[in-house]
């Protein structure tokens, strides 16, 4: 069962899909925004299957997907070569702080400076410019950390600010790549709740390979 931890709310909510401006013109949607409960970060070991199927789907237009889901694997290696691994997921509620920020605030403080860490993120979409900046700063000052980020979709990839932020990630030593169908299957097997009556085998959606190739080409153009 997921646990919820309160995080500080930002002064104004900001949607990853640019939908808030439209919501402000609709009295009913505006009422929903005003009545949202306090911002939370949801944490756990496995996320519900219906969340995975909707939020991680690598569609070109991510309408309605205004959350970030981040599944992580942390491998800690001692000088003697012993490796300890842990994993879980983070989900940002509403849009105040993002899951990437939550990882640094809630998971990373437990890191031991004497160990080397290899961290892998499986994220529903790539970081926004602000989160990318936080990642770069963290990597620059944390020399015992190596980070691999695999993303289902590229967030606002046409924006020059976002493109520049992704290039800075690469320059800082962060490895960034688009999820292949096999990566989605890995998430399904290791991070998704297997509910009663649910098929345990991963069933790829129709355009999963086509969309992977689409985003892979876009990312290569941005990072070259």
């Amino acid at each position: 069962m997921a646990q919820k931890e309160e995080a500080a709310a930002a002064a104004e909510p900001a949607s990853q899909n640019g939908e808030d401006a439209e919501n402000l013109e609709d009295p009913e949607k505006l009422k929903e925004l005003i009545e949202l409960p306090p911002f939370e970060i949801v944490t756990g070991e496995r996320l519900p299957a219906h969340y995975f199927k909707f939020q991680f789907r690598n569609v070109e237009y991510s309408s309605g997907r205004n959350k970030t889901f981040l599944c992580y694997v942390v491998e800690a290696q001692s000088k003697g070569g012993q490796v300890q691994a842990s994993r879980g997921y983070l989900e940002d509620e509403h849009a105040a702080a993002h899951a990437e920020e939550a990882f640094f605030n809630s998971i990373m403080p437990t890191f031991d400076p004497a160990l080397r860490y290899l961290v892998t993120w499986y994220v529903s979409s790539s970081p926004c410019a602000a989160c990318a900046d936080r990642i770069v700063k963290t990597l620059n000052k944390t020399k015992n950390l190596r980070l691999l980020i695999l993303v289902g979709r590229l967030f606002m990839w046409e924006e020059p600010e976002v493109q520049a932020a992704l290039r800075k990630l690469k320059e800082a030593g962060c490895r960034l790549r688009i999820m292949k169908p096999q990566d989605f299957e890995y998430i399904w097997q290791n991070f998704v709740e297997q509910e009663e009556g649910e098929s345990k085998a991963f069933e790829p959606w129709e355009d999963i390979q086509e969309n992977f190739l689409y985003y892979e080409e876009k990312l290569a153009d941005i990072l070259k």
Side-chain angles (χ1 to χ4, degrees):
M1 180 69 67
Q3 298 176 340
K4 297 184 178 181
E5 301 174 357
E6 292 189 358
E12 297 180 359
S15 170
Q16 284 197 355
N17 296 292
E19 296 173 346
D20 285 351
E22 296 178 4
N23 289 340
L24 293 177
E25 298 175 0
D26 186 324
E28 289 301 318
K29 291 183 178 180
L30 176 59
K31 185 173 183 236
E32 290 178 9
L33 285 174
I34 294 173
E35 294 179 348
L36 285 174
F39 174 71
E40 298 174 318
I41 290 293
V42 179
T43 67
E45 294 183 359
R46 289 182 178 266
L47 56 96
H50 63 279
Y51 282 0
F52 167 78
K53 291 177 180 178
F54 180 72
Q55 297 289 349
F56 273 91
R57 187 161 182 157
N58 59 348
V59 291
E60 182 177 352
Y61 300 103
S62 55
S63 177
R65 295 168 173 85
N66 56 357
K67 295 184 179 185
T68 301
F69 283 77
L70 187 158
C71 300
Y72 63 86
V73 178
V74 176
E75 296 178 84
Q77 183 176 15
S78 67
K79 291 183 179 180
Q82 294 179 324
V83 177
Q84 294 180 332
S86 61
R87 68 186 181 202
Y89 84 91
L90 298 164
E91 164 200 345
D92 57 27
E93 285 281 4
H94 316 139
H98 293 164
E100 297 94 334
E101 186 85 11
F103 180 89
F104 294 128
N105 293 339
S106 61
I107 306 299
M108 200 168 161
T110 64
F111 284 14
D112 183 344
L115 302 179
R116 295 177 58 190
Y117 288 90
L118 174 59
V119 176
T120 303
W121 288 354
Y122 299 87
V123 196
S124 52
S125 63
S126 59
C128 66
C131 285
D133 182 63
R134 173 66 191 275
I135 294 168
V136 168
K137 290 178 179 177
T138 301
L139 289 174
N140 286 339
K141 71 179 182 181
T142 313
K143 301 305 181 182
N144 62 331
L145 172 64
R146 295 292 179 269
L147 179 62
L148 166 64
I149 304 178
L150 299 95
V151 302
R153 304 181 300 276
L154 291 177
F155 167 66
M156 296 182 64
W157 60 269
E158 295 176 317
E159 296 294 328
E161 180 185 19
V162 173
Q163 294 182 4
L166 296 180
R167 286 192 288 269
K168 288 180 181 178
L169 282 177
K170 179 182 178 181
E171 293 168 2
C174 175
R175 292 181 293 157
L176 180 67
R177 71 173 178 84
I178 305 298
M179 287 190 214
K180 301 176 181 178
Q182 301 95 305
D183 297 314
F184 290 105
E185 182 175 12
Y186 176 83
I187 298 171
W188 175 261
Q189 293 174 345
N190 293 279
F191 292 99
V192 177
E193 293 176 354
Q194 300 296 335
E195 300 174 0
E196 185 176 353
E198 185 80 38
S199 171
K200 291 191 176 182
F202 174 64
E203 298 178 359
W205 43 92
E206 182 180 355
D207 50 1
I208 187 171
Q209 177 67 16
E210 178 183 349
N211 290 346
F212 156 66
L213 294 173
Y214 170 84
Y215 279 122
E216 185 181 48
E217 180 181 358
K218 299 302 180 186
L219 182 60
D221 288 341
I222 292 170
L223 297 182
K224 68 182 180 182

